[in-house]
């Protein structure tokens, strides 16, 4: 418990130093930074060194400290995520009208897929409705598996170890071998399927959305009763996801 409290204290001090630099009109000296956050210069120097190692702080030629370019990368990614719902909406609406089914926009949060937006086609009496804010393990959803397919082998193994790959239906992929084989297929096809793995009777297909840097930031999926899925949906889904990515600046052929 003591080590945990100490780690939190160091984090608090690190963020205090970052906060001072964020408010400053320009670079600041070690002495000034230490004074403003109430630290000894030696403690401030150690923390700033750790922040520099992660690209969060930079040292100028004059020996002063300033925010690092890593914050620009973080800001760009956050801006893309905050805007993605607005960007994706017209393509989601078109896809929902075309299929008559529910279209979901999903992002990753740790080991879960989180539904951040949805559009209902409204053409049928029986619909699959995912509540905005709902979440599910990555390995049981189509878009969740897309995020896993983006991970390294060690990342996938880590997910399997942390979660234990619990079963939700008899179709859930509950072994690392089966999951890895599925992820290989997803990497080749850039399309994922949930074959009644999260809920019996319900199937999904998912496609990736990438930002201007080519990073996977979200995914679109179509959810419908398994017996209503149509072959043509896959290409329509990939097109909608691709259009969303293009609107974010992604150039697929670059």
């Amino acid at each position: 418990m003591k080590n945990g409290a100490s780690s939190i204290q160091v984090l608090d001090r690190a963020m205090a130093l970052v906060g001072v630099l964020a408010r400053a009109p320009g670079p600041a000296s070690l002495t000034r930074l230490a004074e403003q956050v109430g630290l000894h210069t030696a403690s401030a120097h150690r923390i700033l060194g750790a922040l520099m190692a992660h690209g969060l702080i930079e040292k100028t030629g004059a020996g002063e400290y300033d925010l690092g370019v890593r914050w620009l990368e973080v800001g760009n990614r956050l801006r893309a995520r905050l805007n993605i719902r607005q960007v994706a909406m017209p393509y989601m609406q078109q896809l929902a009208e075309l299929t008559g089914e529910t279209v979901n926009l999903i992002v990753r949060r740790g080991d879960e897929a989180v539904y951040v937006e949805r559009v209902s086609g409204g053409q049928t009496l029986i619909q699959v409705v995912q509540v905005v804010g709902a979440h599910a393990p990555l390995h049981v959803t189509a878009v969740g598996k897309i995020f896993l397919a983006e991970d390294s082998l060690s990342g996938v193994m880590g997910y399997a170890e942390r979660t234990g790959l619990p079963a939700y239906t008899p179709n859930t992929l509950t072994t690392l071998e089966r999951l890895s084989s599925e992820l290989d297929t997803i990497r080749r096809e850039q399309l994922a399927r949930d074959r009644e793995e999260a809920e019996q009777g319900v199937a999904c297909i998912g496609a990736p959305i990438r930002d201007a840097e080519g990073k996977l930031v979200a995914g679109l999926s179509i959810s419908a009763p398994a017996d209503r899925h149509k072959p043509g949906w896959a290409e329509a889904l990939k097109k909608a996801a691709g259009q969303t990515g293009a609107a974010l600046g992604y150039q697929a052929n670059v």
Side-chain angles (χ1 to χ4, degrees):
M1 189 69 179
K2 184 178 180 181
N3 289 338
S6 177
S7 298
I8 292 172
Q9 185 179 53
V10 171
L11 179 59
D12 285 341
R13 291 172 174 176
M15 294 311 298
L17 288 166
V18 168
V20 170
L21 286 172
R23 294 187 296 273
S29 68
L30 173 63
T31 301
R32 178 187 170 194
L33 289 169
E35 287 177 351
Q36 292 207 18
V37 299
L39 288 175
H40 292 296
T41 54
S43 297
H45 185 265
R46 284 196 300 272
I47 295 172
L48 288 167
L51 292 171
M52 287 175 61
H54 291 281
L56 297 170
I57 298 294
E58 294 179 351
K59 202 169 185 179
T60 69
E64 294 182 317
Y65 295 88
D66 203 353
L67 294 178
V69 295
R70 183 70 183 275
W71 291 109
L72 181 60
E73 176 188 347
V74 172
N76 286 336
R77 293 189 67 184
L78 179 59
R79 184 164 59 250
R81 288 177 180 173
L82 291 176
N83 293 337
I84 196 168
R85 293 168 71 176
Q86 181 178 357
V87 170
M89 182 56 73
Y91 307 114
M92 294 176 68
Q93 290 173 333
Q94 292 172 13
L95 191 58
E97 290 173 4
L98 175 68
T99 62
E101 305 291 352
T102 301
V103 177
N104 309 293
L105 176 66
I106 300 167
V107 300
R108 179 175 185 171
R109 184 183 298 155
D111 289 338
E112 294 184 318
V114 181
Y115 296 78
V116 296
E117 191 58 87
R118 70 173 177 84
V119 175
S120 175
Q123 296 181 12
T124 57
L125 294 176
I126 302 174
Q127 290 184 322
V128 176
V129 178
Q130 299 288 359
V131 178
V132 172
H135 49 87
L138 296 174
H139 70 290
V140 303
T141 67
V143 172
K145 285 188 280 189
I146 288 173
F147 280 109
L148 284 176
E150 197 80 356
D151 281 353
S152 63
L153 176 59
S154 61
V156 176
M157 292 176 64
Y159 171 83
E161 291 174 1
R162 288 191 302 273
T163 63
L165 301 179
Y168 285 72
T169 75
N171 293 344
T172 303
L173 304 178
T174 57
T175 68
L176 182 59
E177 181 179 7
R178 291 180 62 201
L179 179 61
S180 296
S181 177
E182 178 93 347
L183 297 181
D184 285 340
T185 300
I186 292 169
R187 294 183 187 105
R188 289 194 305 271
E189 299 181 355
Q190 291 299 294
L191 186 79
R193 300 181 186 279
D194 157 19
R195 303 173 181 85
E196 303 181 63
E197 296 162 48
E199 181 181 350
Q200 285 189 291
V202 176
C204 297
I205 53 175
I209 296 173
R210 300 183 183 278
D211 66 9
E213 298 176 353
K215 295 178 180 177
L216 178 64
V217 292
L220 286 184
S221 74
I222 301 173
S223 300
D227 59 3
R228 279 215 306 257
H229 275 249
K230 295 179 174 58
W233 289 359
E235 286 306 313
L237 174 65
K238 291 173 75 171
K239 179 181 178 181
Q243 289 173 319
T244 303
L248 293 173
Y250 178 58
Q251 300 180 39
N253 296 325
V254 176

